[in-house]
Amino acid sequence: MSEKFEIRREVVVPGTPEQIWAAISAETAGWMFPSPLEIPADGSRPDSPIIADWEPPRELAIHMQGPDGWFNNLEYVVEARDESTAVVRYVHAGVFAEDWDNQYDGASKHTDFYLHSLGQYVQYFAGRPVTYVSAEGPEASSAPEAMGALRGALGIASGATAGDTVTVDVPGIGTVEAIIDYIDDWFVGLRTENALLRFYGRNAFGGNVDAAHHLFAADADGDAATAAWQAWLSGAFA
């Protein structure tokens, strides 16, 4: 039986309202995943029925409706706090058709990681061209202990915290030197000079461990990077 849910967050993001607005409207591939919205080059309101509010650089609301009362709404309100930071108030509301507790837990934890990645993007990579790549772990990555195996493959020691550094060899890419910017039982976020590398422990919510990376190097080869990280992720659980 379908049940409604609502997730609310209020976070401080290092950036101007204009930078944050660009990130949540046109540049979602830099911190979350590519948006299906086609934003006009001049930044004007897209011609899309799912846009409920479009008030740059303060309010953005996307409302999607479906049959039998289904809906999925995303709302952002951005307010400057000082010259270098802003507050983002975020609401995600909708309907889960089944397994409500597990889906809500997963969506809530993903929200915290995505909003953290928003801050990392705005602070370090705002406005840079981005190549988005993703890879799905093998069936073995659905096991309860899979995130431990992932951290081991990344060279992350027990007790590691944000700010620690790691070095990992990725065949086809080379040696990756990164700073841990996020780590908990469900997610790992790594930041390099030219990338945000994101690992999702969706095994905790009925899926596999996945990777989704945001590459900001001008010469990034998306197909090669996807193949390399797919092979690496498969090897991590071999």
Side-chain angles (χ1 to χ4, degrees):
M1 184 175 182
S2 298
E3 292 186 59
K4 296 179 181 179
F5 73 90
E6 184 175 274
I7 297 169
R8 290 181 173 269
R9 294 291 188 270
E10 182 174 310
V11 296
V12 176
V13 175
T16 66
E18 289 75 16
Q19 289 174 318
I20 296 166
W21 171 265
I24 63 177
S25 60
E27 301 167 7
T28 59
W31 59 277
M32 185 169 56
F33 44 76
S35 170
L37 288 175
E38 294 187 10
I39 310 298
D42 62 1
S44 59
R45 182 181 181 128
D47 183 17
S48 172
I50 69 173
I51 298 294
D53 286 307
W54 182 272
E55 299 181 23
R58 187 174 185 276
E59 293 187 27
L60 172 64
I62 298 171
H63 290 179
M64 292 169 278
Q65 310 294 324
D68 302 321
W70 180 90
F71 68 96
N72 189 49
N73 297 343
L74 305 174
E75 299 179 358
Y76 300 85
V77 176
V78 183
E79 294 183 357
R81 193 176 73 160
D82 52 39
E83 293 182 358
S84 60
T85 62
V87 173
V88 177
R89 296 181 177 88
Y90 171 82
V91 180
H92 180 194
V95 172
F96 290 137
E98 56 185 17
D99 196 18
W100 194 96
D101 289 340
N102 193 44
Q103 289 200 57
Y104 180 84
D105 187 41
S108 181
K109 289 180 170 63
H110 277 71
T111 294
D112 293 330
F113 190 33
Y114 281 134
L115 291 177
H116 169 81
S117 294
L118 168 64
Q120 292 286 294
Y121 169 73
V122 172
Q123 183 172 3
Y124 295 102
F125 303 108
R128 289 173 57 174
V130 60
T131 300
Y132 175 84
V133 303
S134 62
E136 182 177 351
E139 183 61 30
S141 70
S142 66
E145 66 276 9
M147 283 303 285
L150 176 83
R151 288 191 290 269
L154 289 170
I156 298 176
S158 176
T161 61
D164 291 348
T165 59
V166 299
T167 301
V168 57
D169 291 323
V170 182
I173 293 178
T175 301
V176 176
E177 297 181 353
I179 295 172
I180 300 172
D181 66 84
Y182 194 98
I183 185 167
D184 62 14
D185 290 342
W186 306 279
F187 308 105
V188 173
L190 304 179
R191 188 183 72 249
T192 74
E193 183 180 359
N194 290 307
L196 289 174
L197 309 178
R198 276 37 207 145
F199 300 89
Y200 297 84
R202 293 177 174 137
N203 59 311
F205 314 111
N208 297 340
V209 173
D210 296 336
H213 302 330
H214 315 273
L215 312 180
F216 303 100
D219 59 350
D221 183 331
D223 290 340
T226 298
W229 280 107
Q230 185 67 67
W232 182 91
L233 198 57
S234 296
F237 297 98

